PDB file of all heavy atoms in Angstrom:
ATOM      1  N   PRO Q  22       7.674  -9.853  -8.289  1.00 95.00           N
ATOM      2  CA  PRO Q  22       8.738 -10.143  -7.320  1.00 95.00           C
ATOM      3  C   PRO Q  22      10.052  -9.463  -7.709  1.00 95.00           C
ATOM      4  O   PRO Q  22      10.428  -9.453  -8.886  1.00 95.00           O
ATOM      5  CB  PRO Q  22       8.868 -11.670  -7.395  1.00 95.00           C
ATOM      6  CG  PRO Q  22       7.579 -12.147  -7.978  1.00 95.00           C
ATOM      7  CD  PRO Q  22       7.140 -11.069  -8.909  1.00 95.00           C
ATOM      8  N   PRO Q  23      10.750  -8.883  -6.747  1.00 94.00           N
ATOM      9  CA  PRO Q  23      12.060  -8.281  -7.036  1.00 94.00           C
ATOM     10  C   PRO Q  23      13.038  -9.317  -7.584  1.00 94.00           C
ATOM     11  O   PRO Q  23      13.081 -10.458  -7.111  1.00 94.00           O
ATOM     12  CB  PRO Q  23      12.511  -7.757  -5.668  1.00 94.00           C
ATOM     13  CG  PRO Q  23      11.244  -7.551  -4.892  1.00 94.00           C
ATOM     14  CD  PRO Q  23      10.330  -8.656  -5.344  1.00 94.00           C
ATOM     15  N   LEU Q  24      13.824  -8.907  -8.584  1.00 96.00           N
ATOM     16  CA  LEU Q  24      14.857  -9.760  -9.159  1.00 96.00           C
ATOM     17  C   LEU Q  24      16.207  -9.059  -9.045  1.00 96.00           C
ATOM     18  O   LEU Q  24      16.268  -7.826  -8.980  1.00 96.00           O
ATOM     19  CB  LEU Q  24      14.546 -10.054 -10.633  1.00 96.00           C
ATOM     20  CG  LEU Q  24      13.269 -10.844 -10.927  1.00 96.00           C
ATOM     21  CD1 LEU Q  24      13.093 -11.016 -12.430  1.00 96.00           C
ATOM     22  CD2 LEU Q  24      13.299 -12.203 -10.241  1.00 96.00           C
ATOM     23  N   PRO Q  25      17.288  -9.804  -9.045  1.00 95.00           N
ATOM     24  CA  PRO Q  25      18.611  -9.199  -8.853  1.00 95.00           C
ATOM     25  C   PRO Q  25      18.981  -8.145  -9.898  1.00 95.00           C
ATOM     26  O   PRO Q  25      19.722  -7.200  -9.593  1.00 95.00           O
ATOM     27  CB  PRO Q  25      19.556 -10.410  -8.932  1.00 95.00           C
ATOM     28  CG  PRO Q  25      18.715 -11.575  -8.569  1.00 95.00           C
ATOM     29  CD  PRO Q  25      17.351 -11.269  -9.089  1.00 95.00           C
ATOM     30  N   ASP Q  26      18.487  -8.300 -11.131  1.00 95.00           N
ATOM     31  CA  ASP Q  26      18.886  -7.364 -12.184  1.00 95.00           C
ATOM     32  C   ASP Q  26      17.837  -6.288 -12.458  1.00 95.00           C
ATOM     33  O   ASP Q  26      17.853  -5.644 -13.512  1.00 95.00           O
ATOM     34  CB  ASP Q  26      19.207  -8.113 -13.479  1.00 95.00           C
ATOM     35  CG  ASP Q  26      18.108  -9.064 -13.910  1.00 95.00           C
ATOM     36  OD1 ASP Q  26      17.056  -9.113 -13.221  1.00 95.00           O
ATOM     37  OD2 ASP Q  26      18.288  -9.764 -14.920  1.00 95.00           O
ATOM     38  N   ASP Q  27      16.909  -6.047 -11.527  1.00 96.00           N
ATOM     39  CA  ASP Q  27      15.898  -5.007 -11.731  1.00 96.00           C
ATOM     40  C   ASP Q  27      16.524  -3.631 -11.941  1.00 96.00           C
ATOM     41  O   ASP Q  27      16.014  -2.813 -12.723  1.00 96.00           O
ATOM     42  CB  ASP Q  27      14.940  -4.942 -10.534  1.00 96.00           C
ATOM     43  CG  ASP Q  27      13.862  -6.027 -10.582  1.00 96.00           C
ATOM     44  OD1 ASP Q  27      13.716  -6.667 -11.638  1.00 96.00           O
ATOM     45  OD2 ASP Q  27      13.171  -6.218  -9.564  1.00 96.00           O
ATOM     46  N   ALA Q  28      17.633  -3.363 -11.269  1.00 95.00           N
ATOM     47  CA  ALA Q  28      18.266  -2.043 -11.374  1.00 95.00           C
ATOM     48  C   ALA Q  28      18.779  -1.763 -12.786  1.00 95.00           C
ATOM     49  O   ALA Q  28      19.006  -0.605 -13.146  1.00 95.00           O
ATOM     50  CB  ALA Q  28      19.408  -1.923 -10.367  1.00 95.00           C
ATOM     51  N   GLU Q  29      18.939  -2.812 -13.579  1.00 94.00           N
ATOM     52  CA  GLU Q  29      19.404  -2.659 -14.957  1.00 94.00           C
ATOM     53  C   GLU Q  29      18.284  -2.939 -15.956  1.00 94.00           C
ATOM     54  O   GLU Q  29      18.538  -3.152 -17.141  1.00 94.00           O
ATOM     55  CB  GLU Q  29      20.576  -3.605 -15.205  1.00 94.00           C
ATOM     56  CG  GLU Q  29      21.760  -3.351 -14.269  1.00 94.00           C
ATOM     57  CD  GLU Q  29      22.835  -4.408 -14.386  1.00 94.00           C
ATOM     58  OE1 GLU Q  29      22.625  -5.381 -15.133  1.00 94.00           O
ATOM     59  OE2 GLU Q  29      23.876  -4.253 -13.719  1.00 94.00           O
ATOM     60  N   SER Q  30      17.044  -2.945 -15.475  1.00 95.00           N
ATOM     61  CA  SER Q  30      15.895  -3.293 -16.316  1.00 95.00           C
ATOM     62  C   SER Q  30      14.921  -2.127 -16.425  1.00 95.00           C
ATOM     63  O   SER Q  30      14.903  -1.224 -15.576  1.00 95.00           O
ATOM     64  CB  SER Q  30      15.168  -4.511 -15.728  1.00 95.00           C
ATOM     65  OG  SER Q  30      16.031  -5.620 -15.602  1.00 95.00           O
ATOM     66  N   ILE Q  31      14.098  -2.172 -17.466  1.00 94.00           N
ATOM     67  CA  ILE Q  31      12.998  -1.232 -17.647  1.00 94.00           C
ATOM     68  C   ILE Q  31      11.703  -1.934 -17.275  1.00 94.00           C
ATOM     69  O   ILE Q  31      11.457  -3.061 -17.708  1.00 94.00           O
ATOM     70  CB  ILE Q  31      12.926  -0.733 -19.100  1.00 94.00           C
ATOM     71  CG1 ILE Q  31      14.157   0.115 -19.431  1.00 94.00           C
ATOM     72  CG2 ILE Q  31      11.653   0.081 -19.345  1.00 94.00           C
ATOM     73  CD1 ILE Q  31      14.213   0.560 -20.885  1.00 94.00           C
ATOM     74  N   LEU Q  32      10.892  -1.271 -16.468  1.00 97.00           N
ATOM     75  CA  LEU Q  32       9.573  -1.812 -16.135  1.00 97.00           C
ATOM     76  C   LEU Q  32       8.527  -1.129 -17.000  1.00 97.00           C
ATOM     77  O   LEU Q  32       8.447   0.104 -17.054  1.00 97.00           O
ATOM     78  CB  LEU Q  32       9.239  -1.573 -14.661  1.00 97.00           C
ATOM     79  CG  LEU Q  32       7.808  -1.950 -14.240  1.00 97.00           C
ATOM     80  CD1 LEU Q  32       7.559  -3.445 -14.418  1.00 97.00           C
ATOM     81  CD2 LEU Q  32       7.523  -1.514 -12.809  1.00 97.00           C
ATOM     82  N   VAL Q  33       7.719  -1.937 -17.677  1.00 96.00           N
ATOM     83  CA  VAL Q  33       6.588  -1.425 -18.453  1.00 96.00           C
ATOM     84  C   VAL Q  33       5.302  -1.788 -17.717  1.00 96.00           C
ATOM     85  O   VAL Q  33       5.028  -2.971 -17.494  1.00 96.00           O
ATOM     86  CB  VAL Q  33       6.566  -2.016 -19.875  1.00 96.00           C
ATOM     87  CG1 VAL Q  33       5.308  -1.553 -20.615  1.00 96.00           C
ATOM     88  CG2 VAL Q  33       7.817  -1.613 -20.640  1.00 96.00           C
ATOM     89  N   ILE Q  34       4.540  -0.781 -17.321  1.00 97.00           N
ATOM     90  CA  ILE Q  34       3.225  -0.993 -16.719  1.00 97.00           C
ATOM     91  C   ILE Q  34       2.203  -0.673 -17.807  1.00 97.00           C
ATOM     92  O   ILE Q  34       1.972   0.482 -18.143  1.00 97.00           O
ATOM     93  CB  ILE Q  34       3.016  -0.090 -15.490  1.00 97.00           C
ATOM     94  CG1 ILE Q  34       4.137  -0.304 -14.476  1.00 97.00           C
ATOM     95  CG2 ILE Q  34       1.649  -0.366 -14.860  1.00 97.00           C
ATOM     96  CD1 ILE Q  34       4.105   0.667 -13.306  1.00 97.00           C
ATOM     97  N   ALA Q  35       1.605  -1.717 -18.375  1.00 95.00           N
ATOM     98  CA  ALA Q  35       0.785  -1.549 -19.579  1.00 95.00           C
ATOM     99  C   ALA Q  35      -0.698  -1.383 -19.256  1.00 95.00           C
ATOM    100  O   ALA Q  35      -1.562  -2.003 -19.867  1.00 95.00           O
ATOM    101  CB  ALA Q  35       0.998  -2.721 -20.528  1.00 95.00           C
ATOM    102  N   GLY Q  36      -0.991  -0.531 -18.288  1.00 94.00           N
ATOM    103  CA  GLY Q  36      -2.377  -0.136 -18.057  1.00 94.00           C
ATOM    104  C   GLY Q  36      -3.093  -0.884 -16.957  1.00 94.00           C
ATOM    105  O   GLY Q  36      -2.721  -1.984 -16.542  1.00 94.00           O
ATOM    106  N   ASP Q  37      -4.167  -0.241 -16.465  1.00 96.00           N
ATOM    107  CA  ASP Q  37      -5.022  -0.776 -15.401  1.00 96.00           C
ATOM    108  C   ASP Q  37      -4.221  -1.109 -14.146  1.00 96.00           C
ATOM    109  O   ASP Q  37      -4.451  -2.132 -13.487  1.00 96.00           O
ATOM    110  CB  ASP Q  37      -5.800  -2.006 -15.878  1.00 96.00           C
ATOM    111  CG  ASP Q  37      -6.941  -1.632 -16.818  1.00 96.00           C
ATOM    112  OD1 ASP Q  37      -7.095  -0.432 -17.128  1.00 96.00           O
ATOM    113  OD2 ASP Q  37      -7.682  -2.530 -17.242  1.00 96.00           O
ATOM    114  N   LEU Q  38      -3.287  -0.233 -13.800  1.00 96.00           N
ATOM    115  CA  LEU Q  38      -2.578  -0.373 -12.528  1.00 96.00           C
ATOM    116  C   LEU Q  38      -3.522  -0.060 -11.378  1.00 96.00           C
ATOM    117  O   LEU Q  38      -3.593  -0.806 -10.401  1.00 96.00           O
ATOM    118  CB  LEU Q  38      -1.373   0.564 -12.483  1.00 96.00           C
ATOM    119  CG  LEU Q  38      -0.606   0.621 -11.160  1.00 96.00           C
ATOM    120  CD1 LEU Q  38       0.007  -0.741 -10.841  1.00 96.00           C
ATOM    121  CD2 LEU Q  38       0.480   1.700 -11.217  1.00 96.00           C
ATOM    122  N   CYS Q  39      -4.283   1.041 -11.517  1.00 95.00           N
ATOM    123  CA  CYS Q  39      -5.195   1.456 -10.460  1.00 95.00           C
ATOM    124  C   CYS Q  39      -6.048   2.609 -10.953  1.00 95.00           C
ATOM    125  O   CYS Q  39      -5.617   3.381 -11.820  1.00 95.00           O
ATOM    126  CB  CYS Q  39      -4.395   1.907  -9.232  1.00 95.00           C
ATOM    127  SG  CYS Q  39      -5.399   2.237  -7.764  1.00 95.00           S
ATOM    128  N   VAL Q  40      -7.241   2.717 -10.442  1.00 95.00           N
ATOM    129  CA  VAL Q  40      -8.042   3.911 -10.682  1.00 95.00           C
ATOM    130  C   VAL Q  40      -7.281   5.107 -10.115  1.00 95.00           C
ATOM    131  O   VAL Q  40      -6.800   5.065  -8.979  1.00 95.00           O
ATOM    132  CB  VAL Q  40      -9.423   3.792  -9.991  1.00 95.00           C
ATOM    133  CG1 VAL Q  40     -10.175   5.115 -10.068  1.00 95.00           C
ATOM    134  CG2 VAL Q  40     -10.237   2.681 -10.636  1.00 95.00           C
ATOM    135  N   ILE Q  41      -7.156   6.162 -10.899  1.00 95.00           N
ATOM    136  CA  ILE Q  41      -6.431   7.345 -10.426  1.00 95.00           C
ATOM    137  C   ILE Q  41      -7.436   8.308  -9.797  1.00 95.00           C
ATOM    138  O   ILE Q  41      -7.749   9.372 -10.330  1.00 95.00           O
ATOM    139  CB  ILE Q  41      -5.625   8.001 -11.564  1.00 95.00           C
ATOM    140  CG1 ILE Q  41      -4.690   6.969 -12.199  1.00 95.00           C
ATOM    141  CG2 ILE Q  41      -4.805   9.179 -11.034  1.00 95.00           C
ATOM    142  CD1 ILE Q  41      -3.861   7.493 -13.357  1.00 95.00           C
ATOM    143  N   GLY Q  42      -7.985   7.886  -8.666  1.00 91.00           N
ATOM    144  CA  GLY Q  42      -8.944   8.683  -7.908  1.00 91.00           C
ATOM    145  C   GLY Q  42      -8.368   9.046  -6.562  1.00 91.00           C
ATOM    146  O   GLY Q  42      -7.383   8.452  -6.099  1.00 91.00           O
ATOM    147  N   ASP Q  43      -8.973  10.003  -5.901  1.00 90.00           N
ATOM    148  CA  ASP Q  43      -8.439  10.500  -4.636  1.00 90.00           C
ATOM    149  C   ASP Q  43      -8.228   9.387  -3.608  1.00 90.00           C
ATOM    150  O   ASP Q  43      -7.275   9.426  -2.837  1.00 90.00           O
ATOM    151  CB  ASP Q  43      -9.378  11.566  -4.057  1.00 90.00           C
ATOM    152  CG  ASP Q  43      -9.391  12.840  -4.882  1.00 90.00           C
ATOM    153  OD1 ASP Q  43      -8.437  13.036  -5.678  1.00 90.00           O
ATOM    154  OD2 ASP Q  43     -10.341  13.635  -4.758  1.00 90.00           O
ATOM    155  N   ALA Q  44      -9.113   8.393  -3.597  1.00 89.00           N
ATOM    156  CA  ALA Q  44      -9.031   7.324  -2.601  1.00 89.00           C
ATOM    157  C   ALA Q  44      -7.814   6.427  -2.806  1.00 89.00           C
ATOM    158  O   ALA Q  44      -7.436   5.679  -1.889  1.00 89.00           O
ATOM    159  CB  ALA Q  44     -10.300   6.476  -2.632  1.00 89.00           C
ATOM    160  N   TYR Q  45      -7.195   6.491  -3.986  1.00 92.00           N
ATOM    161  CA  TYR Q  45      -6.122   5.556  -4.312  1.00 92.00           C
ATOM    162  C   TYR Q  45      -4.790   6.239  -4.570  1.00 92.00           C
ATOM    163  O   TYR Q  45      -3.818   5.565  -4.929  1.00 92.00           O
ATOM    164  CB  TYR Q  45      -6.510   4.738  -5.546  1.00 92.00           C
ATOM    165  CG  TYR Q  45      -7.872   4.108  -5.437  1.00 92.00           C
ATOM    166  CD1 TYR Q  45      -8.926   4.546  -6.233  1.00 92.00           C
ATOM    167  CD2 TYR Q  45      -8.119   3.098  -4.515  1.00 92.00           C
ATOM    168  CE1 TYR Q  45     -10.186   3.984  -6.125  1.00 92.00           C
ATOM    169  CE2 TYR Q  45      -9.373   2.523  -4.395  1.00 92.00           C
ATOM    170  CZ  TYR Q  45     -10.403   2.977  -5.203  1.00 92.00           C
ATOM    171  OH  TYR Q  45     -11.653   2.418  -5.087  1.00 92.00           O
ATOM    172  N   LEU Q  46      -4.709   7.546  -4.383  1.00 93.00           N
ATOM    173  CA  LEU Q  46      -3.479   8.254  -4.731  1.00 93.00           C
ATOM    174  C   LEU Q  46      -2.310   7.840  -3.842  1.00 93.00           C
ATOM    175  O   LEU Q  46      -1.169   7.752  -4.303  1.00 93.00           O
ATOM    176  CB  LEU Q  46      -3.700   9.768  -4.648  1.00 93.00           C
ATOM    177  CG  LEU Q  46      -4.652  10.347  -5.711  1.00 93.00           C
ATOM    178  CD1 LEU Q  46      -4.783  11.851  -5.535  1.00 93.00           C
ATOM    179  CD2 LEU Q  46      -4.178  10.009  -7.123  1.00 93.00           C
ATOM    180  N   ARG Q  47      -2.581   7.553  -2.555  1.00 91.00           N
ATOM    181  CA  ARG Q  47      -1.492   7.163  -1.663  1.00 91.00           C
ATOM    182  C   ARG Q  47      -0.878   5.840  -2.097  1.00 91.00           C
ATOM    183  O   ARG Q  47       0.351   5.693  -2.129  1.00 91.00           O
ATOM    184  CB  ARG Q  47      -1.982   7.062  -0.218  1.00 91.00           C
ATOM    185  CG  ARG Q  47      -0.827   6.863   0.770  1.00 91.00           C
ATOM    186  CD  ARG Q  47      -1.295   6.912   2.208  1.00 91.00           C
ATOM    187  NE  ARG Q  47      -1.887   5.649   2.614  1.00 91.00           N
ATOM    188  CZ  ARG Q  47      -2.210   5.360   3.876  1.00 91.00           C
ATOM    189  NH1 ARG Q  47      -2.046   6.253   4.825  1.00 91.00           N
ATOM    190  NH2 ARG Q  47      -2.739   4.179   4.184  1.00 91.00           N
ATOM    191  N   ARG Q  48      -1.718   4.876  -2.451  1.00 92.00           N
ATOM    192  CA  ARG Q  48      -1.159   3.585  -2.869  1.00 92.00           C
ATOM    193  C   ARG Q  48      -0.455   3.700  -4.220  1.00 92.00           C
ATOM    194  O   ARG Q  48       0.547   3.008  -4.452  1.00 92.00           O
ATOM    195  CB  ARG Q  48      -2.228   2.494  -2.870  1.00 92.00           C
ATOM    196  CG  ARG Q  48      -3.352   2.645  -3.851  1.00 92.00           C
ATOM    197  CD  ARG Q  48      -4.385   1.530  -3.706  1.00 92.00           C
ATOM    198  NE  ARG Q  48      -5.069   1.565  -2.413  1.00 92.00           N
ATOM    199  CZ  ARG Q  48      -6.063   0.730  -2.089  1.00 92.00           C
ATOM    200  NH1 ARG Q  48      -6.463  -0.199  -2.943  1.00 92.00           N
ATOM    201  NH2 ARG Q  48      -6.654   0.826  -0.919  1.00 92.00           N
ATOM    202  N   LEU Q  49      -0.920   4.580  -5.094  1.00 94.00           N
ATOM    203  CA  LEU Q  49      -0.210   4.813  -6.356  1.00 94.00           C
ATOM    204  C   LEU Q  49       1.167   5.409  -6.097  1.00 94.00           C
ATOM    205  O   LEU Q  49       2.160   5.007  -6.723  1.00 94.00           O
ATOM    206  CB  LEU Q  49      -1.028   5.741  -7.251  1.00 94.00           C
ATOM    207  CG  LEU Q  49      -2.071   5.093  -8.140  1.00 94.00           C
ATOM    208  CD1 LEU Q  49      -3.024   6.149  -8.701  1.00 94.00           C
ATOM    209  CD2 LEU Q  49      -1.419   4.321  -9.275  1.00 94.00           C
ATOM    210  N   GLN Q  50       1.236   6.378  -5.188  1.00 94.00           N
ATOM    211  CA  GLN Q  50       2.512   6.974  -4.822  1.00 94.00           C
ATOM    212  C   GLN Q  50       3.471   5.903  -4.284  1.00 94.00           C
ATOM    213  O   GLN Q  50       4.657   5.863  -4.657  1.00 94.00           O
ATOM    214  CB  GLN Q  50       2.300   8.074  -3.780  1.00 94.00           C
ATOM    215  CG  GLN Q  50       3.563   8.642  -3.154  1.00 94.00           C
ATOM    216  CD  GLN Q  50       4.418   9.458  -4.101  1.00 94.00           C
ATOM    217  OE1 GLN Q  50       3.922  10.011  -5.077  1.00 94.00           O
ATOM    218  NE2 GLN Q  50       5.718   9.523  -3.828  1.00 94.00           N
ATOM    219  N   GLU Q  51       2.973   5.021  -3.450  1.00 94.00           N
ATOM    220  CA  GLU Q  51       3.814   3.975  -2.851  1.00 94.00           C
ATOM    221  C   GLU Q  51       4.319   2.992  -3.901  1.00 94.00           C
ATOM    222  O   GLU Q  51       5.511   2.636  -3.927  1.00 94.00           O
ATOM    223  CB  GLU Q  51       3.018   3.238  -1.774  1.00 94.00           C
ATOM    224  CG  GLU Q  51       2.723   4.090  -0.545  1.00 94.00           C
ATOM    225  CD  GLU Q  51       1.593   3.527   0.297  1.00 94.00           C
ATOM    226  OE1 GLU Q  51       1.008   2.493  -0.100  1.00 94.00           O
ATOM    227  OE2 GLU Q  51       1.294   4.120   1.344  1.00 94.00           O
ATOM    228  N   ILE Q  52       3.422   2.559  -4.774  1.00 95.00           N
ATOM    229  CA  ILE Q  52       3.799   1.559  -5.776  1.00 95.00           C
ATOM    230  C   ILE Q  52       4.764   2.148  -6.806  1.00 95.00           C
ATOM    231  O   ILE Q  52       5.781   1.525  -7.154  1.00 95.00           O
ATOM    232  CB  ILE Q  52       2.540   1.007  -6.480  1.00 95.00           C
ATOM    233  CG1 ILE Q  52       1.693   0.203  -5.503  1.00 95.00           C
ATOM    234  CG2 ILE Q  52       2.917   0.168  -7.691  1.00 95.00           C
ATOM    235  CD1 ILE Q  52       2.416  -0.935  -4.835  1.00 95.00           C
ATOM    236  N   LEU Q  53       4.476   3.327  -7.298  1.00 97.00           N
ATOM    237  CA  LEU Q  53       5.348   3.931  -8.304  1.00 97.00           C
ATOM    238  C   LEU Q  53       6.691   4.325  -7.705  1.00 97.00           C
ATOM    239  O   LEU Q  53       7.722   4.264  -8.388  1.00 97.00           O
ATOM    240  CB  LEU Q  53       4.659   5.136  -8.935  1.00 97.00           C
ATOM    241  CG  LEU Q  53       3.432   4.798  -9.797  1.00 97.00           C
ATOM    242  CD1 LEU Q  53       2.721   6.067 -10.249  1.00 97.00           C
ATOM    243  CD2 LEU Q  53       3.832   3.954 -11.011  1.00 97.00           C
ATOM    244  N   SER Q  54       6.708   4.718  -6.441  1.00 96.00           N
ATOM    245  CA  SER Q  54       7.978   5.015  -5.768  1.00 96.00           C
ATOM    246  C   SER Q  54       8.823   3.750  -5.655  1.00 96.00           C
ATOM    247  O   SER Q  54      10.036   3.765  -5.908  1.00 96.00           O
ATOM    248  CB  SER Q  54       7.725   5.602  -4.380  1.00 96.00           C
ATOM    249  OG  SER Q  54       7.101   6.864  -4.471  1.00 96.00           O
ATOM    250  N   ASP Q  55       8.183   2.642  -5.275  1.00 96.00           N
ATOM    251  CA  ASP Q  55       8.905   1.371  -5.189  1.00 96.00           C
ATOM    252  C   ASP Q  55       9.441   0.974  -6.563  1.00 96.00           C
ATOM    253  O   ASP Q  55      10.589   0.520  -6.675  1.00 96.00           O
ATOM    254  CB  ASP Q  55       7.969   0.283  -4.662  1.00 96.00           C
ATOM    255  CG  ASP Q  55       8.641  -1.073  -4.591  1.00 96.00           C
ATOM    256  OD1 ASP Q  55       9.380  -1.318  -3.620  1.00 96.00           O
ATOM    257  OD2 ASP Q  55       8.444  -1.889  -5.527  1.00 96.00           O
ATOM    258  N   ALA Q  56       8.629   1.153  -7.601  1.00 97.00           N
ATOM    259  CA  ALA Q  56       9.064   0.792  -8.954  1.00 97.00           C
ATOM    260  C   ALA Q  56      10.266   1.632  -9.381  1.00 97.00           C
ATOM    261  O   ALA Q  56      11.235   1.107  -9.952  1.00 97.00           O
ATOM    262  CB  ALA Q  56       7.906   0.978  -9.935  1.00 97.00           C
ATOM    263  N   CYS Q  57      10.230   2.921  -9.093  1.00 97.00           N
ATOM    264  CA  CYS Q  57      11.343   3.797  -9.485  1.00 97.00           C
ATOM    265  C   CYS Q  57      12.600   3.498  -8.680  1.00 97.00           C
ATOM    266  O   CYS Q  57      13.720   3.659  -9.177  1.00 97.00           O
ATOM    267  CB  CYS Q  57      10.942   5.256  -9.332  1.00 97.00           C
ATOM    268  SG  CYS Q  57       9.734   5.820 -10.565  1.00 97.00           S
ATOM    269  N   ASP Q  58      12.441   3.057  -7.440  1.00 97.00           N
ATOM    270  CA  ASP Q  58      13.595   2.660  -6.631  1.00 97.00           C
ATOM    271  C   ASP Q  58      14.237   1.397  -7.179  1.00 97.00           C
ATOM    272  O   ASP Q  58      15.471   1.235  -7.108  1.00 97.00           O
ATOM    273  CB  ASP Q  58      13.176   2.416  -5.174  1.00 97.00           C
ATOM    274  CG  ASP Q  58      12.873   3.696  -4.424  1.00 97.00           C
ATOM    275  OD1 ASP Q  58      13.280   4.777  -4.899  1.00 97.00           O
ATOM    276  OD2 ASP Q  58      12.202   3.615  -3.375  1.00 97.00           O
TER     277      ASP Q  58
END
């Protein structure tokens, strides 16, 4: 869930976010873009 201080925080994704296969690249792009935002 988004928190007010996310912009001043580091997010660590410690593995098994998603299979990095062709069928899942769009959702990876969406999730990582949201995380970087």
